[in-house]
Amino acid sequence: MKLKQFGSSVLAVTTLVAAVSMPLSASARGWQHEGDLPPGLERLQEKFEKLKRDMRHRHSNVQVGPRPYWLVDDMDDGWLKDKLERCENRPMRRTDFSIGHRGAPLQFPEHTMESYVAAARMGAGIVECDVAFTADRELVCRHAQNDLHTTTNIVTIPELNAKCTQPFVPADPASGTPAQAECRTSDITLEEFKSLEGKMDAFNPMATTPEEYVGGTADWRTDLYASRGTLLSHRESIELFKALGVKMTPELKTPVVDMPYEGDYTQQDYARQMIQDYIDAGVKPRDVWPQSFLLDDVLFWVNETPAYGQQAVFLDQDAITPENSSLAYMENLRAQGVNVIAPAIWKMLALNGHQEIVPSEYAENARTAGLDMIAWSLERSGPLANGGGWYYQTVTDAINNDGDMLTVVDVLARDVGVIGIFSDWPATTTYYANCMGMR
């Protein structure tokens, strides 16, 4: 896969942070025409456009930081550890093998401008915006339509909390009843969404105040970089990704509201609108990897927007059965025009008789059918000393330290043959890909 250059200057990224923290388009703040922009916003728009031009011509300067080296040090002794250690002084370049899962949410609030910039700095060649819609049918970057109560500060803003499907209700410590809240993107307008601040995805179930509720960050993550979290519309994310020089993988989130929404906004309208934003922004189809957990969405893109459907990704989260892991099933997907399948990491891995991690039958059949595969999501779990949790469930008996994460990456890359890996900390996959000469 082709590497691209991106901005190297700390000043450039600092400028980008300042620029994108402000609205980038009239539509992003509810104004319908460029002529309606408030004073000063036209100048900001010009500054942002200049920044995008400048960054395209800067040399690559990926910074992976200490974590990959820490993981390598934690690996079991062997040839893979030796090889990865020999790369410790090698300059790093961006790679499409490294995909920023919601940006870099191991430490930055997910789906925020800050998280996206961090992912690009770590060498992610592709960055993800999960796409949901607002009450006024504008598209925004959120992991789920109904996660605003755990990923933003909405419950601490009385006038917006009141609009939530389930406004915040405090816990009752005496009875042990947990707090309640459910806030959806479709509960508020785009302008209201843009007024929120992103935070680490977490909540305190026994909170008695909204301020307590927005806490609860896992102890293996951090709030160190959560002091600001700039939310973006889908169109703004496209402009940011263009400025950073990264490719884009938008995921059409499955709605939690009944579709057609309000009787006339269909699932097909929603799927079409997402692709139309890339067409309007002049993004080439080869730079976009649209995703969905709904096969019907993928087939819609394949048939209705074939240029963008070529790289449409079918996200597969179903439990493995003989039917949905068979060669016949994989060949049927290919026959319908699906070229890329993205299962969870565990579905592509198994243990052999020597307790070694090897490709699963599912992965072998997908490869035989000619499907490209993408894995999700590395570094989504906490420390791996106890087997790695859900993402490693088929290989738990071979996982006992954080360094085993790179063994998993190696099996996925060399034996399964995945073309990319989603990671909550893209520096790890960037380091591996550079060390192995992957592009």
Side-chain angles (χ1 to χ4, degrees):
M1 307 188 81
K2 188 177 180 182
L3 292 168
K4 288 188 176 181
Q5 295 180 336
F6 85 126
S8 60
S9 167
V10 173
L11 176 60
V13 173
T14 301
T15 305
L16 179 63
V17 168
V20 184
S21 295
M22 296 293 289
L24 301 180
S25 64
S27 58
R29 297 298 295 174
W31 294 290
Q32 298 302 310
H33 305 288
E34 294 300 325
D36 294 336
L37 291 173
L41 196 55
E42 298 95 334
R43 179 176 53 80
L44 176 61
Q45 195 84 339
E46 293 172 2
K47 185 176 182 180
F48 183 68
E49 293 300 324
K50 181 180 184 299
L51 174 63
K52 288 191 295 181
R53 292 193 299 271
D54 291 345
M55 292 190 74
R56 290 194 186 102
H57 299 292
R58 296 183 184 275
H59 295 290
S60 174
N61 182 23
V62 170
Q63 300 173 1
V64 296
R67 182 164 174 77
Y69 307 99
W70 184 84
L71 291 173
V72 172
D73 287 343
D74 199 41
M75 293 180 69
D76 298 333
D77 291 337
W79 75 268
L80 180 59
K81 180 174 182 177
D82 292 343
K83 183 172 180 63
L84 293 174
E85 283 179 332
R86 290 195 294 270
C87 300
E88 62 182 10
N89 295 318
R90 178 179 299 180
M92 298 288 155
R93 296 182 62 84
R94 173 177 298 152
T95 167
D96 289 355
F97 183 78
S98 181
I99 306 172
H101 180 238
R102 316 185 198 180
L106 184 65
Q107 294 192 16
F108 289 81
E110 65 183 46
H111 291 307
T112 62
M113 180 270 296
E114 292 80 8
S115 190
Y116 293 149
V117 170
R121 295 287 292 175
M122 291 184 219
I126 305 173
V127 181
E128 178 187 47
C129 165
D130 289 330
V131 178
F133 60 84
T134 60
D136 47 351
R137 305 182 189 184
E138 296 288 347
L139 303 184
V140 296
C141 297
R142 278 298 91 194
H143 173 65
Q145 188 181 30
N146 61 337
D147 73 358
L148 293 182
H149 52 292
T150 65
T151 64
T152 77
N153 63 336
I154 189 169
V155 299
T156 68
I157 304 173
E159 61 272 24
L160 296 184
N161 175 63
K163 295 186 175 184
C164 290
T165 296
Q166 171 59 70
F168 171 74
V169 176
D172 181 359
S175 65
T177 303
Q180 299 179 56
E182 183 185 352
C183 302
R184 303 174 177 178
T185 58
S186 55
D187 289 335
I188 58 176
T189 66
L190 175 60
E191 185 171 5
E192 290 167 335
F193 174 85
K194 289 284 294 176
S195 73
L196 301 175
E197 293 182 358
K199 70 177 192 69
M200 297 299 284
D201 184 10
F203 71 102
N204 177 359
M206 296 311 296
T208 58
T209 67
E211 290 71 26
E212 290 178 349
Y213 186 82
V214 297
T217 300
D219 59 9
W220 47 272
R221 290 182 172 161
T222 180
D223 286 319
L224 185 63
Y225 303 107
S227 59
R228 64 178 185 270
T230 307
L231 302 192
L232 300 177
S233 70
H234 180 231
R235 286 190 293 269
E236 286 176 330
S237 78
I238 294 173
E239 293 305 309
L240 174 62
F241 296 162
K242 286 166 65 178
L244 293 171
V246 298
K247 297 177 183 177
M248 311 167 197
T249 183
E251 180 189 333
L252 195 75
K253 299 308 299 187
T254 303
V256 297
V257 296
D258 291 335
M259 300 294 281
Y261 177 60
E262 296 180 332
D264 62 351
Y265 183 62
T266 67
Q267 184 72 20
Q268 292 74 27
D269 292 333
Y270 178 31
R272 185 182 296 108
Q273 181 181 0
M274 189 183 86
I275 297 299
Q276 189 63 47
D277 280 350
Y278 292 93
I279 296 172
D280 292 346
V283 180
K284 296 177 181 178
R286 67 170 181 255
D287 292 336
V288 183
W289 303 75
Q291 320 165 65
S292 179
F293 281 103
L294 300 181
L295 181 57
D296 285 347
D297 290 340
V298 176
L299 297 180
F300 174 81
W301 294 323
V302 167
N303 295 310
E304 299 295 326
T305 59
Y308 291 87
Q310 278 289 107
Q311 294 186 153
V313 181
F314 174 39
L315 297 165
D316 184 7
Q317 66 178 346
D318 292 337
I320 289 181
T321 67
E323 292 75 25
N324 68 17
S325 60
S326 67
L327 178 58
Y329 176 78
M330 302 298 178
E331 289 177 335
N332 183 55
L333 288 177
R334 286 285 287 126
Q336 294 181 82
V338 178
N339 295 317
V340 190
I341 190 168
I345 288 172
W346 64 268
K347 296 187 74 167
M348 292 182 280
L349 302 177
L351 295 178
N352 64 15
H354 303 287
Q355 295 296 286
E356 297 167 329
I357 301 174
V358 296
S360 66
E361 181 181 9
Y362 175 103
E364 297 282 14
N365 285 335
R367 183 169 59 183
T368 299
L371 288 166
D372 286 330
M373 287 174 281
I374 296 173
W376 52 271
S377 295
L378 200 71
E379 300 182 271
R380 189 70 190 161
S381 303
L384 305 191
N386 296 321
W390 187 86
Y391 287 93
Y392 302 87
Q393 59 188 274
T394 52
V395 294
T396 293
D397 290 344
I399 302 291
N400 59 23
N401 61 62
D402 285 335
D404 287 333
M405 193 181 305
L406 286 165
T407 302
V408 168
V409 171
D410 185 62
V411 173
L412 289 170
R414 293 194 307 112
D415 299 330
V416 174
V418 299
I419 62 173
I421 297 178
F422 281 95
S423 177
D424 280 21
W425 200 247
T428 301
T429 42
T430 297
Y431 183 90
Y432 175 89
N434 274 262
C435 191
M436 295 298 181
M438 302 176 66
R439 301 183 70 84

